[in-house]
Amino acid sequence: MASNDYYRTLGVARNAGPDEIKSAYRKLAMKHHPDRNQGNSESESVFKEINEAYEVLSTPEKRQVYDQYGAEGLKAGAGGRGGFGGFQGGADMGDMFGDLFENLFSQGQGGGRGRPRSRRGADLKYEASITLEEAFTGVKVPVNFERTELCGECDGTGARGKTGIKKCPSCRGTGRVQYSQGFFAFSQACPDCGGQGEVITAPCKACNGAGRQKKSASMNIKIPAGVEEGAVLRVSGGGDAGLKGGDSGDLYIQVSLKHHSHFERHGADLVYECPVAVWQAALGGEAEVPVIEGGRMKIKIPQGTQHGKVFRVHGRGMPSPAGRDRGDLLVKVRVDVPHELTPRQRELFVELAALAGHGAPAEEKDKGFFKKILGT
Ligand SMILES: [Zn+2]
Ligand SMILES: [Zn+2]
């Protein structure tokens, strides 16, 4: 029954102008208004639908989101897909529709009930920065943050004792008041009590009537071995306390890895750049490389190893978060040419160069050349 095609619900074309939408809405709203259709539940749901459609199509920003993403886009809080930006957007959209539906429902039920408006607490985000070694083993990190918690003094009522709260005189405890606009009579949340149906006459001293207080909280969060950069862990109910019995929000821990002096991480593999002296690369030998679990291991450098060559050490990388497997350690050879030579080293290099047919190095040749032209 519920149609997500708002244009069809109002019977207008997709390019209809604001006036056309408004007049189509008025016609339909009059026809299906619950006051004229007492006890007709189908009319009530049609009325709800046309109001929903009008709410969206009469608000340029919402209409634009709807045209682009459809009704789902509005529910999700368009643009908030992924990342933390989405939470708040989604909640706001939800509230908007929540209020709208609440108005309509209480209307249909003939006058409102003043049920307390509970609200879910906000989600909180915390960033935890850990070392690569901690990501390797898994770690418990202490997380200290501020959140809104229920006031322990008044249990969240905001009132001082049981006598500190009484029925709201403006709405006689229903939480709703009637008003009329044009053709229609609407009910809305009572402005004096915020729809609660109760007013606080003596506010709780501890929270000044808010029912909630900012408190510092601390918990130990277990970060699993193999955690990836940017991973987000959720602590259900770890966020702000809800209002009027609403659920607590969640706490999201976003993990970032500190820069490591030896290793670069590529998924489950670790890359280590291993300096090898030029003669060692030529002759072959052993190199010591660090390993993530601590300490060092020896690897074989075969003779004639080229600069940039990568040796793969199986199973010495990071654990995968899913299972027991480990990635590999990739040892990338960096052939180091000495910046300075001792006289003896220089002699040997000159000899090498001569053997390879390069003759004397540039400097020597230059000297000879100048000697010649100066005739000395
Ligand atoms: Zn309190
Ligand atoms: Zn009231």
Side-chain angles (χ1 to χ4, degrees), residues 159-176:
R160 199 185 313 162
K162 278 192 179 138
T163 51
I165 195 162
K166 68 170 194 188
K167 208 189 248 187
C168 170
S170 309
C171 60
R172 294 183 304 280
T174 63
R176 306 202 73 84

Side-chain angles (χ1 to χ4, degrees), residues 151-156 158-159 204-209 211:
C151 172
E153 201 66 36
C154 62
D155 263 344
C204 163
K205 275 186 181 161
C207 64
N208 286 322

Side-chain angles (χ1 to χ4, degrees), residues 58-367:
S58 64
T59 315
E61 302 80 44
K62 284 192 223 170
R63 184 176 178 181
Q64 201 187 348
V65 172
Y66 172 73
D67 284 346
Q68 218 172 336
Y69 302 106
E72 286 307 307
L74 287 164
K75 275 178 202 137
R81 231 163 297 183
F84 289 94
F87 299 139
Q88 218 44 59
D92 286 351
M93 282 296 185
D95 282 356
M96 210 143 62
F97 285 115
D99 285 350
L100 180 70
F101 286 144
E102 200 172 340
N103 272 326
L104 296 165
F105 273 125
S106 61
Q107 180 82 24
Q109 286 156 357
R113 284 175 174 179
R115 66 197 143 101
R117 286 150 47 93
S118 69
R119 189 183 287 251
R120 187 175 179 275
D123 293 330
L124 300 177
K125 184 188 165 190
Y126 186 94
E127 280 177 34
S129 177
I130 62 171
T131 64
L132 192 62
E133 282 84 357
E134 288 170 332
F136 173 73
T137 54
V139 65
K140 272 191 174 170
V141 291
V143 170
N144 300 301
F145 61 107
E146 281 226 314
R147 69 175 169 189
T148 308
E149 294 182 359
L150 283 189
C151 172
E153 201 66 36
C154 62
D155 263 344
T157 64
R160 199 185 313 162
K162 278 192 179 138
T163 51
I165 195 162
K166 68 170 194 188
K167 208 189 248 187
C168 170
S170 309
C171 60
R172 294 183 304 280
T174 63
R176 306 202 73 84
V177 289
Q178 305 283 333
Y179 73 103
S180 53
Q181 193 177 54
F183 297 106
F184 309 122
F186 284 107
S187 81
Q188 68 170 12
C190 169
D192 288 338
C193 62
Q196 302 300 333
E198 292 172 330
V199 284
I200 290 166
T201 52
C204 163
K205 275 186 181 161
C207 64
N208 286 322
R212 303 190 300 177
Q213 289 171 302
K214 274 256 180 248
K215 283 192 181 157
S216 49
S218 63
M219 39 176 101
N220 275 315
I221 303 295
K222 190 171 183 279
I223 297 180
V227 68
E228 302 261 0
E229 166 71 29
V232 177
L233 309 171
R234 188 170 73 116
V235 181
S236 181
D240 280 349
L243 263 181
K244 306 289 169 191
D247 291 339
S248 291
D250 297 331
L251 172 66
Y252 289 87
I253 314 282
Q254 185 166 33
V255 179
S256 69
L257 300 185
K258 290 177 183 152
H259 178 258
H260 197 278
S261 52
H262 293 322
F263 299 114
E264 215 174 88
R265 185 179 181 177
H266 292 263
D269 293 338
L270 292 173
V271 179
Y272 172 69
E273 195 183 73
C274 180
V276 174
V278 64
W279 41 82
Q280 197 187 3
L283 300 172
E286 271 180 345
E288 277 205 333
V289 300
V291 284
I292 185 66
E293 52 266 62
R296 305 175 78 83
M297 70 180 289
K298 285 188 172 152
I299 65 158
K300 209 174 147 190
I301 304 289
Q303 68 171 37
T305 292
Q306 302 296 308
H307 177 80
K309 168 83 183 166
V310 177
F311 297 108
R312 183 178 286 267
V313 187
H314 285 282
R316 301 305 289 266
M318 296 293 281
S320 75
R324 304 266 91 184
D325 292 350
R326 276 177 70 178
D328 301 333
L329 171 61
L330 305 180
V331 180
K332 190 176 174 191
V333 171
R334 189 189 73 213
V335 173
D336 275 355
V337 176
H339 291 281
E340 307 236 326
L341 295 173
T342 62
R344 175 72 180 135
Q345 282 173 334
R346 187 176 169 76
E347 245 174 61
L348 292 171
F349 268 109
V350 170
E351 208 171 306
L352 273 174
L355 271 176
H358 290 304
E363 222 177 296
E364 310 270 309
K365 269 199 271 185
D366 287 350
K367 270 185 201 156

